[in-house]
Amino acid sequence: MDPTPTRNAPSLADATRGRILFGGDYNPEQWPEETWQEDVRLMKEAGVNSVTVGVFSWAKLEPRPGAREFGWLDRLMDLMHEHGIGVVLATPTASPPPWMGRLHPETLPRDEDGRVEWWGSRQHFSHSSAAYRRHAAAVTEDLAARYGSHPALTMWHINNEYCTFDYGDEAAAAFRRWLQDKYGTVEALNRAWGTAFWSQGYDGWHEVLPPRHAHYMKNPTHVLDFKRFTSDMLLECYAAERDIVRRHTPHIPVTTNFMPLWVGQDAWKWAAEEDVVSVDSYPDPRDPLGAQDNALLQDMTRSQAAGGPWMLMEQAAGPVNWRGVNHPKPRGLNRLWSLQAVARGADAVCYFQWRQSRQGAEKFHSGMVSHAGERGRTFQEVKRIGAELARIGTEVTGTPVLSDIAILHEWNSWWAGAQDGRLSSEVDYAEVVRAWHRALWEAHLTTAFAHPEHDLTGYRLVVVPQLYLLTDAAIDNLLAYVRGGGTLVCGFLTGVADEDDRVRPGGMDVRLRELFGIRTLHEWWPLDAGSTAECEGFRGTLWSEEIEAEDGVAAARYEGGELHGLPAVLRRGGAWYVSTLPEPEALRDLLARIAEDAGVRPPLDGLPAGVEAVRRGGLLFLLNHGRDAVTVSVPGRLRDLLTGADVAKTVELGRYGVVVLEEAP
């Protein structure tokens, strides 16, 4: 099943203590202190038991180099403890004060054109800057020393949404060191990067730069390594601050928040360095697939947490402020999506932000307390959510969400496949992953995510939407999984390149070709935007392939056009290969049929469209993502934990309705 943690360390359970954490980012420094008492009153009324403090407070804590102004934070920490509200204390290092950029301009990142990213926003730091790292360590050290023993402290939150790329001189020097550690010699780097192409051969390390603005296409392996390097440098920044707070408080869990399916971090690698895996989630309330987007992110985050509980660090109680048009959430949607997170493994449901700001760039980003105040609809809905989470917390916290299906996902493959010189700009890796997850979600099948080198033996079905780059170890792992009796389904453009983005002989690794019964992959045939490929029983989108196959392995063929009669879907024993992206219903039906043959079934039969069913521990969550009321048949006598009502045979779910069922006593 999901990978298991390898380090004995504090966990989310040390912060939750049998409750679901409920609260959000709290920015008291933006308000007069007389507002704090009002905040506490409203927090208690809403059932808030956790607040994240200090995320963007560096200039408040250190208004000039070396100064420390902790008095306001002392009073805030004491106030939270007095009222039984735990504090997730953040290191403020995501947003250095203006004085740092002024006194140390080398701390400011540069983009690939060499332009400086100045202060006046956030995330304006160079991950490789020695001065930035020194000042970040100093303020972290003093925070940990001062508040490590404070009774309000429940968790550390390092930095915020790490996402900074830097192409400046200090980053260039760090990149060269990173490459020397990886390759040892310039000759080995030249081989890995294929620098014989376009006269790119390097004669010494001093010639190597980040992939800055170039006249034409950049070397794709150079770009790939720079993405790996950037993820690693940001991880070094995180680990340096984590180690400081861990030295002071080895019993307090540490986290940092991932962004949704963010391309810039190898989150498998990062998650292994966290005590608590947390994520920010902002699906568009107008998106008909918003619930599926949520489910994908929740499944991925739970899997990065080794199958255990995870933390929803941020969501919006209403509208955000960064879309072209920022719609509020209709009545009930905030509750529905909050409980969906719990269903899929969250033991913490939090928001950005507690009180909607009156000034600054995010004053139109919603808060738990909106500009309408405590009588506003947003706060009234927040109160209901807090009460319901308190009602079910002791029953749900710490319980697992089990899955017999794994979706394989890997950042190096994503990075490599996104190169400028690819065959089709219509193929977006993240959208392909979403399409495959959507198919399983609409088939009411709960999924986990896994790295292609993880132990897969506990899964009945493993699906690979697309992994352009696969290491030899990953390929051997897939072969062993099928030999062991597992069912594997692979999408198109998988196994094309090795870890250096070197195309494997034959255009697909020979071991995979043998696995699927492919004699020759003659040509890739990407499809134009809006075009489809007719196949037996369905239409394919985005892609098609000219494949010569072994006898008897074609499960469906192309019909018409250049590929008429050639296999579109191949099956050889427990291994399937899908050389196109079937339209949504067709992919759903195909994967549902393969899953059933592999012994995987939905939690309930006959579920209406738009109703999500997830088992967590001994509880069954039913969530209606539709605007119309539906009736769901359920087995036996059950009880709804949210209302205490007994349920027999059927459940009525209204618009955005949720029930949490357990066996009736």
Side-chain angles (χ1 to χ4, degrees):
M1 301 295 285
D2 296 304
T4 54
T6 57
R7 190 176 60 81
N8 184 20
S11 67
L12 185 54
D14 294 296
T16 61
R17 300 166 189 168
R19 311 164 298 168
I20 296 173
L21 293 187
F22 183 61
D25 277 30
Y26 182 33
N27 303 297
E29 65 272 25
Q30 298 177 12
W31 300 88
E33 287 199 27
E34 54 265 27
T35 309
W36 298 3
Q37 294 294 334
E38 178 75 356
D39 285 332
V40 167
R41 180 182 69 80
L42 293 176
M43 286 177 186
K44 296 185 75 173
E45 190 174 327
V48 167
N49 55 34
S50 178
V51 291
T52 300
V53 173
V55 175
F56 295 116
S57 63
W58 198 344
K60 180 79 169 176
L61 293 167
E62 188 177 7
R64 63 199 63 85
R68 292 291 184 266
E69 296 194 1
F70 288 133
W72 67 274
L73 188 52
D74 291 346
R75 295 188 294 276
L76 189 281
M77 295 286 287
D78 291 345
L79 180 66
M80 293 298 107
H81 176 61
E82 179 186 342
H83 291 277
I85 299 169
V87 174
V88 179
L89 186 56
T91 63
T93 52
S95 192
W99 59 257
M100 187 178 297
R102 177 176 59 84
L103 297 176
H104 302 284
E106 72 276 15
T107 66
L108 298 170
R110 292 179 179 264
D111 67 15
E112 59 183 317
D113 290 315
R115 294 173 299 192
V116 175
E117 296 181 356
W118 298 94
W119 61 87
S121 180
R122 66 179 196 179
Q123 259 82 26
H124 50 281
F125 65 89
S126 167
H127 48 61
S128 301
S129 165
Y132 166 76
R133 291 191 179 198
R134 185 171 63 253
H135 282 286
V139 73
T140 299
E141 181 76 41
D142 290 349
L143 272 174
R146 190 173 189 91
Y147 300 109
S149 60
H150 197 286
L153 179 67
T154 60
M155 196 184 310
W156 289 104
H157 175 0
I158 304 298
N159 201 279
N160 185 72
E161 294 184 337
Y162 280 101
C163 62
T164 308
F165 283 78
D166 181 25
Y167 296 79
D169 290 341
E170 277 200 87
F175 186 38
R176 287 190 282 270
R177 292 192 296 271
W178 184 91
L179 292 169
Q180 289 178 58
D181 289 342
K182 179 174 182 178
Y183 293 111
T185 66
V186 172
E187 292 74 23
L189 177 140
N190 281 321
R191 286 193 299 271
W193 285 11
T195 58
F197 184 79
W198 281 353
S199 185
Q200 294 174 354
Y202 295 97
D203 189 48
W205 292 108
H206 60 285
E207 296 177 350
V208 181
L209 294 171
R212 292 170 176 166
H213 183 82
H215 185 72
Y216 189 43
M217 292 181 183
K218 301 171 186 176
N219 182 315
T221 313
H222 183 179
V223 174
L224 173 60
D225 266 345
F226 188 71
K227 290 177 179 177
R228 291 164 168 158
F229 156 79
T230 298
S231 178
D232 284 355
M233 288 302 100
L234 291 170
L235 183 56
E236 280 189 7
C237 291
Y238 163 78
E241 295 180 35
R242 177 207 60 195
D243 291 349
I244 291 169
V245 301
R246 188 177 280 169
R247 174 163 42 82
H248 285 272
T249 56
H251 59 294
I252 299 292
V254 186
T255 189
T256 190
N257 48 335
F258 293 145
M259 291 186 289
L261 197 55
W262 167 240
V263 71
Q265 292 169 284
D266 182 345
W268 291 118
K269 197 170 185 178
W270 277 69
E273 301 293 333
E274 294 184 284
D275 300 324
V276 176
V277 178
S278 62
V279 74
D280 302 343
S281 181
Y282 292 103
D284 189 340
R286 292 290 294 270
D287 183 355
L289 297 178
Q292 182 257 319
D293 237 15
N294 246 353
L296 181 153
L297 183 64
Q298 293 157 8
D299 291 343
M300 185 174 290
T301 307
R302 184 183 71 251
S303 301
Q304 288 159 358
W310 54 276
M311 181 176 191
L312 177 56
M313 179 72 77
E314 291 184 22
Q315 63 173 334
V320 296
N321 72 322
W322 39 263
R323 293 190 175 99
V325 178
N326 293 288
H327 295 276
K329 290 181 175 177
R331 291 181 184 274
L333 191 60
N334 182 15
R335 172 179 180 262
L336 174 67
W337 284 357
S338 296
L339 288 167
Q340 183 190 29
V342 176
R344 290 183 177 267
D347 277 1
V349 175
C350 301
Y351 295 83
F352 181 85
Q353 50 193 324
W354 161 248
R355 184 184 285 274
Q356 194 167 12
S357 302
R358 292 183 62 194
Q359 288 185 291
E362 293 181 316
K363 58 183 173 289
F364 295 117
H365 188 299
S366 60
M368 299 169 76
V369 181
S370 72
H371 292 311
E374 63 181 293
R375 298 184 63 182
R377 172 169 71 87
T378 298
F379 183 69
Q380 295 304 312
E381 290 186 336
V382 162
K383 285 172 55 178
R384 180 184 181 187
I385 295 166
E388 290 184 332
L389 294 180
R391 198 171 298 141
I392 67 174
T394 56
E395 301 293 329
V396 74
T397 51
T399 60
V401 179
L402 301 180
S403 172
D404 291 321
I405 303 174
I407 298 174
L408 301 193
H409 161 63
E410 209 273 319
W411 266 267
N412 287 270
S413 183
W414 186 359
W415 294 332
Q419 61 191 267
D420 289 340
R422 61 191 184 274
L423 286 165
S424 173
S425 60
E426 295 298 316
V427 176
D428 180 290
Y429 171 83
E431 291 305 313
V432 173
V433 172
R434 284 189 177 96
W436 282 66
H437 182 275
R438 173 188 174 185
L440 293 161
W441 185 77
E442 290 185 344
H444 308 293
L445 298 170
T446 304
T447 61
F449 279 80
H451 187 283
E453 294 181 21
H454 280 168
D455 180 7
L456 304 175
T457 54
Y459 298 105
R460 294 177 181 268
L461 174 63
V462 169
V463 300
V464 181
Q466 182 183 104
L467 286 174
Y468 161 83
L469 181 155
L470 280 173
T471 64
D472 286 339
I475 292 170
D476 289 340
N477 195 38
L478 296 182
L479 298 177
Y481 171 74
V482 176
R483 284 197 300 267
T487 300
L488 174 71
V489 189
C490 279
F492 66 86
L493 208 62
T494 288
V496 173
D498 67 11
E499 59 267 34
D500 293 326
D501 194 15
R502 184 182 293 106
V503 174
R504 293 184 180 272
M508 176 190 279
D509 185 85
V510 63
R511 292 162 291 179
L512 292 179
R513 282 186 275 131
E514 291 174 354
L515 179 69
F516 300 126
I518 297 173
R519 285 199 185 109
T520 307
L521 200 166
H522 289 286
E523 290 288 351
W524 295 292
W525 286 78
L527 302 177
D528 292 327
S531 298
T532 58
E534 294 294 331
C535 306
E536 291 176 331
F538 68 93
R539 290 190 188 92
T541 67
L542 286 181
W543 196 264
S544 57
E545 293 178 349
E546 185 179 343
I547 291 173
E548 180 184 340
E550 304 284 351
D551 293 339
V553 301
R557 298 180 183 274
Y558 291 104
E559 293 185 330
E562 292 286 343
L563 305 184
H564 179 73
L566 296 179
V569 179
L570 297 85
R571 180 188 184 181
R572 192 176 207 182
W576 294 72
Y577 183 71
V578 185
S579 68
T580 184
L581 180 66
E583 290 182 325
E585 288 186 8
L587 185 58
R588 178 198 65 199
D589 293 345
L590 174 65
L591 293 180
R593 187 170 70 251
I594 295 172
E596 185 172 8
D597 290 344
V600 185
R601 297 186 58 83
L604 290 178
D605 291 327
L607 284 166
V611 173
E612 179 177 9
V614 184
R615 291 195 182 276
R616 183 174 180 190
L619 304 179
L620 174 64
F621 287 73
L622 296 177
L623 307 103
N624 179 20
H625 296 286
R627 290 175 173 266
D628 297 324
V630 294
T631 301
V632 179
S633 297
V634 294
R637 291 190 59 82
L638 303 169
R639 174 171 294 172
D640 181 7
L641 283 180
L642 298 177
T643 64
D646 289 339
V647 173
K649 296 185 179 179
T650 62
V651 172
E652 301 295 325
L653 289 172
R655 170 186 171 176
Y656 300 149
V658 184
V659 295
V660 182
L661 302 174
E662 65 174 351
E663 290 188 10

